């Protein structure tokens, strides 16, 4: 599936994920959710323009850790670009969840992407996020 602005694409396993496109004040993006009763798995990508005072990776990580309950973090490569990843525990949501976030930059444009995999903790966990990692590898910029 390609985003509304034709700048990136991702591939969902099948239509049961019900992927939706959005272009709004949250940015340009795609989100797909697989519902299983009250439980869920989701995979989304949001594209935003970099802020004028774009932080370096160390500053970004400090900012993320000050706002979220980060239980693991590190560096990975997405499309050859060094990118931050964080595993965040959301116990305050209506349905507690684990979310794996990767923040990566566009190779030539003033854009960045937040790629996220989420699972509800009532039924799923960290292993389920690892099983969804293949979805993240389908992300490609144009």
């Amino acid at each position: 599936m390609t985003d509304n602005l034709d700048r990136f694409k991702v591939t969902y396993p099948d239509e049961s994920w019900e992927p939706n496109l959005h272009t709004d004040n949250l940015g340009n993006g795609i989100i797909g959710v697989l519902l299983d009763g009250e439980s869920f798995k989701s995979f989304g990508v949001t594209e935003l323009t970099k802020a004028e005072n774009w932080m370096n990776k160390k500053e970004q990580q400090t900012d993320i850790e000050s706002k979220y309950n980060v239980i693991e973090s590190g560096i990975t490569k997405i499309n050859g670009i060094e990118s931050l990843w964080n595993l965040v525990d959301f116990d305050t949501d209506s349905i507690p969840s684990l979310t794996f976030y990767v923040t990566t930059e566009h190779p030539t444009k003033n854009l960045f992407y937040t790629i996220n995999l989420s699972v509800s903790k009532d039924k799923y966990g960290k292993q389920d996020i690892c099983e969804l990692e293949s979805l993240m590898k389908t992300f490609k910029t144009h």
Side-chain angles (χ1 to χ4, degrees):
M1 174 169 268
T2 301
D3 68 290
N4 280 330
L5 302 177
D6 195 35
R7 295 201 282 232
F8 68 88
K9 69 178 183 174
V10 295
T11 304
Y12 287 89
D14 57 53
E15 301 255 338
S16 67
W17 282 80
E18 300 180 14
N20 290 297
L21 301 169
H22 66 83
T23 305
D24 53 29
N25 61 340
L26 299 174
N28 174 38
I30 300 172
I31 182 105
V33 179
L34 183 64
L35 297 173
D36 182 9
E38 296 282 321
S39 302
F40 71 90
K41 294 179 182 180
S42 72
F43 172 59
V45 177
T46 301
E47 172 193 76
L48 294 162
T49 302
K50 290 181 188 174
E52 200 170 295
N53 55 345
W54 184 251
M55 294 182 275
N56 65 38
K57 287 188 181 21
K58 185 176 180 179
E59 293 167 330
Q60 289 176 40
Q61 186 62 36
T62 300
D63 185 55
I64 291 165
E65 289 175 0
S66 74
K67 294 177 181 175
Y68 302 103
N69 182 17
V70 175
I71 54 178
E72 291 182 45
S73 63
I75 301 284
T76 189
K77 285 200 173 185
I78 298 288
N79 297 320
I81 297 172
E82 193 173 89
S83 307
L84 293 175
W85 66 264
N86 287 278
L87 182 61
V88 177
D89 186 346
F90 287 103
D91 273 332
T92 58
D93 287 359
S94 56
I95 299 176
S97 62
L98 288 174
T99 301
F100 182 77
Y101 289 101
V102 175
T103 303
T104 191
E105 299 178 42
H106 191 282
T108 58
K109 297 178 182 167
N110 193 34
L111 302 169
F112 74 98
Y113 302 90
T114 300
I115 305 165
N116 67 76
L117 301 167
S118 294
V119 296
S120 56
K121 286 180 16 181
D122 60 337
K123 185 169 184 175
Y124 304 110
K126 185 176 168 183
Q127 181 177 342
D128 295 286
I129 288 178
C130 293
E131 290 172 3
L132 296 173
E133 185 180 3
S134 62
L135 291 174
M136 194 166 283
K137 292 179 181 179
T138 70
F139 170 77
K140 303 284 183 237
T141 56
H142 297 277

